[in-house]
Short mmCIF file of all heavy atoms in Angstrom, two decimals:
data_model
loop_
_atom_site.label_atom_id
_atom_site.label_comp_id
_atom_site.label_asym_id
_atom_site.label_seq_id
_atom_site.Cartn_x
_atom_site.Cartn_y
_atom_site.Cartn_z
N PHE A 77 13.33 8.82 6.13
CA PHE A 77 13.46 7.37 6.34
C PHE A 77 12.33 6.61 5.66
O PHE A 77 11.23 7.14 5.49
CB PHE A 77 13.44 7.06 7.84
CG PHE A 77 14.52 7.78 8.59
CD1 PHE A 77 14.22 8.89 9.37
CD2 PHE A 77 15.84 7.37 8.50
CE1 PHE A 77 15.22 9.58 10.05
CE2 PHE A 77 16.85 8.04 9.18
CZ PHE A 77 16.54 9.15 9.95
N LEU A 227 33.31 -2.20 7.32
CA LEU A 227 33.43 -3.25 6.29
C LEU A 227 33.66 -4.63 6.93
O LEU A 227 33.19 -5.64 6.43
CB LEU A 227 34.58 -2.91 5.32
CG LEU A 227 34.82 -3.87 4.15
CD1 LEU A 227 33.60 -3.97 3.23
CD2 LEU A 227 36.04 -3.43 3.32
N GLU A 267 27.57 -5.61 -30.53
CA GLU A 267 28.32 -4.38 -30.27
C GLU A 267 28.46 -4.16 -28.76
O GLU A 267 29.54 -3.84 -28.24
CB GLU A 267 27.58 -3.20 -30.90
CG GLU A 267 28.35 -1.90 -30.87
CD GLU A 267 27.45 -0.69 -31.17
OE1 GLU A 267 26.28 -0.90 -31.54
OE2 GLU A 267 27.92 0.44 -31.02
N VAL A 312 22.18 7.67 -14.02
CA VAL A 312 20.97 8.35 -13.55
C VAL A 312 21.25 9.85 -13.35
O VAL A 312 20.40 10.69 -13.64
CB VAL A 312 20.43 7.73 -12.24
CG1 VAL A 312 19.11 8.39 -11.88
CG2 VAL A 312 20.24 6.24 -12.37
N HIS A 427 8.66 -1.25 9.97
CA HIS A 427 8.28 -2.66 10.12
C HIS A 427 8.62 -3.41 8.84
O HIS A 427 8.08 -3.12 7.78
CB HIS A 427 6.78 -2.78 10.43
CG HIS A 427 6.41 -4.13 10.99
ND1 HIS A 427 5.30 -4.32 11.78
CD2 HIS A 427 7.01 -5.36 10.90
CE1 HIS A 427 5.22 -5.60 12.13
NE2 HIS A 427 6.23 -6.24 11.61
N SER A 502 0.36 -3.80 15.47
CA SER A 502 0.48 -4.46 16.78
C SER A 502 1.19 -5.79 16.61
O SER A 502 1.32 -6.30 15.49
CB SER A 502 -0.91 -4.71 17.36
OG SER A 502 -1.61 -5.63 16.53
#
Side-chain angles (χ1 to χ4, degrees):
F77 303 104
L227 182 61
E267 188 195 353
V312 185
H427 197 156
S502 64

